[in-house]
Amino acid sequence: MSNILKKRTSVLVRGAIVLISVILQVLTMFLLVRLLQEYASWAYLLIEIGSIAVVFVLVDNSSSFNSFWIVIILALPVFGYCLYFMWGRKHTNSAFYKKYKKISEKGRDYKQQDPAILAELSEMHPNKAQVSRYLVHEGFPLYKHTSVRYFEVGEKKFDAFFEDLEKAEKFIFLEYFIVSNGEIWDRLKEVLARKAAQKVEVRLLLDDFGCLFMDGDEIRHELSKLGIRVSIFAPIVKDVSRLTFNYRNHQKIAIIDGNIGYTGGVNLADEYANIIDRFGHWKDTAIRLEGDGVWGLTEIFMEMWELSKEKEQMDYNKYRPTISVDAPGYVQPVADGPANNPDNPIEEMYTHLINKARDYIYFTTPYLVLDNRMIDDLCRAARSGVDVRIITPRHYDKWYVYMVNISNYGRLMENGIKIYEYVPGFIHAKNVISDDECGVCGTINMDYRSFYLHYECGVLMTEVPAVMEMKEDFLETMRKSERVSLDAWKQRPIWQKCVQGILRVFSPLL
């Protein structure tokens, strides 16, 4: 009982530190602005001029994310400018940004594209190959000789996952956003402790915000005694003034001996396996790679590990795959992060897939918080005859995001896009399927956080049998969902429309 109280107290203290720090910063800025207005009007005027200059720069680079800051700065010229200075601008000269770029450049040296593979795909699918060529240019090679297994629910993923962990002989790399106490975590600790005792190298990379309700320091202390190396990504109490705790590591990767890799939406918590009930049936998906393409996921993990550690550098070559698998199709692991803004490979991948779709493109996502450019792309595809369908949750985990989801339905449906809400529970799956040819499974939500604020990952698959399994799963999920009516959407209550309108303005921060 005392341990439980201690853990809860630790969580409350950590959260309170961050909350109080942010409140103090906002109050300090507000008081500073008032003092400038009253006692240093010349300085206030100079800052107003600076605000106007920033607005012109943002308009010139006019994504919806920047439009949010334009609204804030225009509505609150000096206060809004101070907020943007702290939280909105990109610190290209910061130590963290420089470290990220250095690690990314190092990673490129280990991600060499076999030109024969790219040429083969280009001959087979000249249309879709443009997406792969773009990703290759961004540093994400295309691989063959990789089998893909698709899991339509989290519990099936965990069955295979634990079976593979038991067979590990050299190393286990795990990277997850959320960790929670329960059966999954207890079972994982037992397996990892046993493997570490067998001299298997075990590394566990966790996001500090994702394991907020578990003490990260306690996890590190407990597992380190078992021979397991643990790194906590971006501690939330560190550098609060830049609000870097908003830039979370949302990736979910598991690597076993360099030959098997997992990714998808499934975290290390019981609800993802429907062991406990949260928001009804938890619908999530994952994929298992085996063969050459696992190297793409392994390299992503190692970059994030080095980013989370102050000085450690890994010898990447030690962890390359040792087997190839005779399997059809092509896989292309991809990753992204806030340091790339405004050039975001994952967002551009989605945009390319939408614009290259000929017959259909299907999406599952828990959050539908889109910028104007992607909405335009989706609507243009639908108007050109592409069958565009999107499944979102009926049972939400965040009411304010669900409100923004609903607010986005109207324009999409008016242009012929079919929107469905998953009725049995919460759909957390992040999938794209297009034209019976290619698909994406990963950690990527269709929202600002995934495209601008989070570190994400996924795998683009082309001519892989698992793509058709993803399609069948989508159609089965659609049968358990209810299509949203445009007429019903138009008749929603006035208060709901007002709340949604306000939340849309702030959607880049939700």
Side-chain angles (χ1 to χ4, degrees):
M1 186 66 180
S2 61
N3 286 336
I4 295 175
L5 290 174
K6 182 180 177 182
K7 289 181 180 178
R8 290 180 178 175
T9 302
S10 175
V11 169
L12 291 173
V13 169
R14 294 169 72 209
I17 290 172
V18 174
L19 179 61
I20 292 170
S21 299
V22 172
I23 291 173
L24 288 175
Q25 289 175 72
V26 173
L27 288 176
T28 301
M29 282 190 294
F30 182 77
L31 292 173
L32 178 61
V33 169
R34 293 300 303 270
L35 289 171
L36 286 173
Q37 283 179 303
E38 191 166 349
Y39 299 108
S41 56
W42 60 270
Y44 187 85
L45 178 62
L46 287 175
I47 296 177
E48 278 197 318
I49 294 171
S51 298
I52 294 170
V54 169
V55 168
F56 276 105
V57 171
L58 292 175
V59 168
D60 189 51
N61 181 22
S62 55
S63 69
S64 294
F65 188 74
N66 285 332
S67 297
F68 163 78
W69 287 109
I70 291 170
V71 171
I72 294 298
I73 292 171
L74 288 177
L76 305 165
V78 175
F79 184 69
Y81 175 77
C82 293
L83 281 176
Y84 172 77
F85 186 83
M86 283 178 53
W87 300 341
R89 65 197 179 104
K90 183 178 177 180
H91 280 221
T92 56
N93 292 320
S94 69
F96 182 85
Y97 178 85
K98 291 178 180 178
K99 182 179 180 182
Y100 179 91
K101 287 300 180 184
K102 184 178 180 180
I103 292 171
S104 297
E105 289 170 5
K106 172 186 174 181
R108 277 181 175 265
D109 293 336
Y110 294 90
K111 295 185 291 188
Q112 300 300 319
Q113 177 62 58
D114 181 344
I117 295 176
L118 190 57
E120 185 179 297
L121 177 63
S122 297
E123 184 177 352
M124 181 184 298
H125 285 298
N127 184 48
K128 293 296 197 301
Q130 291 184 26
V131 185
S132 287
R133 285 200 296 269
Y134 163 76
L135 292 177
V136 169
H137 180 269
E138 296 300 310
F140 303 104
L142 180 72
Y143 299 92
K144 288 180 63 178
H145 308 300
T146 307
S147 66
V148 182
R149 184 177 173 188
Y150 174 69
F151 304 99
E152 71 275 15
V153 286
E155 42 267 48
K156 290 186 178 181
K157 180 258 186 179
F158 280 117
D159 288 343
F161 172 65
F162 281 110
E163 184 178 336
D164 285 331
L165 288 179
E166 293 287 0
K167 298 175 183 177
E169 297 178 351
K170 298 177 182 178
F171 64 91
I172 296 170
F173 293 164
L174 302 177
E175 176 182 0
Y176 284 90
F177 177 58
I178 290 176
V179 173
S180 295
N181 278 313
E183 290 183 28
I184 295 294
W185 179 237
D186 289 343
R187 184 178 176 188
L188 180 63
K189 285 193 297 183
E190 189 274 326
V191 173
L192 295 183
R194 186 156 29 84
K195 285 297 170 180
Q198 296 170 6
K199 305 304 179 183
V200 172
E201 179 184 351
V202 181
R203 297 181 189 237
L204 177 61
L205 175 57
L206 302 176
D207 183 86
D208 194 40
F209 190 83
C211 58
L212 179 64
F213 294 100
M214 298 175 68
D215 191 321
D217 289 334
E218 185 175 315
I219 292 175
R220 186 190 293 112
H221 179 70
E222 176 187 6
L223 297 186
S224 64
K225 292 190 297 184
L226 301 173
I228 299 167
R229 295 201 58 193
V230 180
S231 182
I232 305 298
F233 185 87
I236 60 175
V237 295
K238 182 180 179 182
D239 199 18
V240 162
S241 65
R242 275 288 296 138
L243 217 68
T244 51
F245 68 78
N246 207 26
Y247 300 151
R248 305 317 316 172
N249 181 7
H250 195 243
Q251 296 176 1
K252 302 158 189 72
I253 293 174
I255 307 294
I256 296 96
D257 291 343
N259 296 320
I260 295 171
Y262 287 83
T263 191
V266 181
N267 280 297
L268 300 176
D270 287 357
E271 61 265 32
Y272 293 86
N274 285 295
I275 295 171
I276 61 173
D277 186 339
R278 287 192 69 203
F279 320 119
H281 180 263
W282 193 288
K283 167 66 175 171
D284 218 326
T285 59
I287 55 172
R288 175 189 185 272
L289 307 185
E290 184 172 7
D292 292 1
V294 176
W295 176 242
L297 289 177
T298 306
E299 202 279 334
I300 291 168
F301 171 88
M302 290 188 289
E303 286 190 19
M304 295 303 294
W305 181 273
E306 288 190 351
L307 188 63
S308 72
K309 306 294 281 186
E310 289 297 328
K311 298 179 180 179
E312 182 174 351
Q313 293 189 355
M314 299 180 68
D315 179 3
Y316 288 15
N317 284 320
K318 287 173 54 179
Y319 306 102
R320 287 186 179 275
T322 57
I323 64 170
S324 289
V325 176
D326 184 14
Y330 309 83
V331 299
Q332 198 162 15
V334 59
D336 203 351
N340 290 330
N341 293 336
D343 301 316
N344 302 303
I346 282 179
E347 183 184 29
E348 291 296 333
M349 175 179 68
Y350 271 52
T351 298
H352 276 68
L353 288 171
I354 294 166
N355 292 328
K356 295 297 178 183
R358 299 187 308 273
D359 300 320
Y360 75 85
I361 187 164
Y362 300 156
F363 301 89
T364 59
T365 179
Y367 313 123
L368 191 65
V369 186
L370 306 172
D371 68 9
N372 290 326
R373 186 183 69 158
M374 188 163 289
I375 290 176
D376 288 342
D377 288 336
L378 288 166
C379 292
R380 188 186 309 111
R383 291 198 304 270
S384 67
V386 177
D387 181 8
V388 183
R389 306 184 193 185
I390 304 172
I391 301 178
T392 65
R394 170 66 56 85
H395 299 269
Y396 50 83
D397 63 337
K398 302 179 181 70
W399 72 268
Y400 49 88
V401 179
Y402 181 64
M403 287 289 104
V404 179
N405 281 5
I406 294 174
S407 71
N408 280 320
Y409 290 170
R411 186 177 164 198
L412 297 173
M413 291 189 294
E414 287 170 348
N415 283 272
I417 295 170
K418 303 177 183 69
I419 306 290
Y420 299 83
E421 290 186 340
Y422 182 64
V423 174
F426 182 64
I427 185 165
H428 191 253
K430 304 105 168 28
N431 288 353
V432 185
I433 314 103
S434 179
D435 294 340
D436 291 358
E437 294 170 351
C438 61
V440 177
C441 182
T443 69
I444 311 148
N445 298 314
M446 293 182 72
D447 67 355
Y448 287 98
R449 287 200 163 273
S450 281
F451 294 141
Y452 294 98
L453 301 178
H454 283 170
Y455 295 90
E456 303 283 2
C457 68
V459 179
L460 172 65
M461 299 163 279
T462 306
E463 290 298 329
V464 171
V467 171
M468 294 307 295
E469 296 174 20
M470 292 169 65
K471 180 185 179 182
E472 290 304 315
D473 181 41
F474 180 94
L475 296 175
E476 178 61 29
T477 304
M478 193 180 73
R479 287 188 279 271
K480 299 176 182 177
S481 304
E482 183 177 315
R483 185 172 175 181
V484 180
S485 161
L486 180 58
D487 289 338
W489 180 86
K490 290 179 178 178
Q491 295 171 13
R492 67 197 192 284
I494 294 294
W495 69 265
Q496 193 177 99
K497 295 179 181 178
C498 294
V499 170
Q500 290 166 2
I502 294 170
L503 288 174
R504 274 186 66 118
V505 175
F506 294 93
S507 57
L509 296 185
L510 296 180

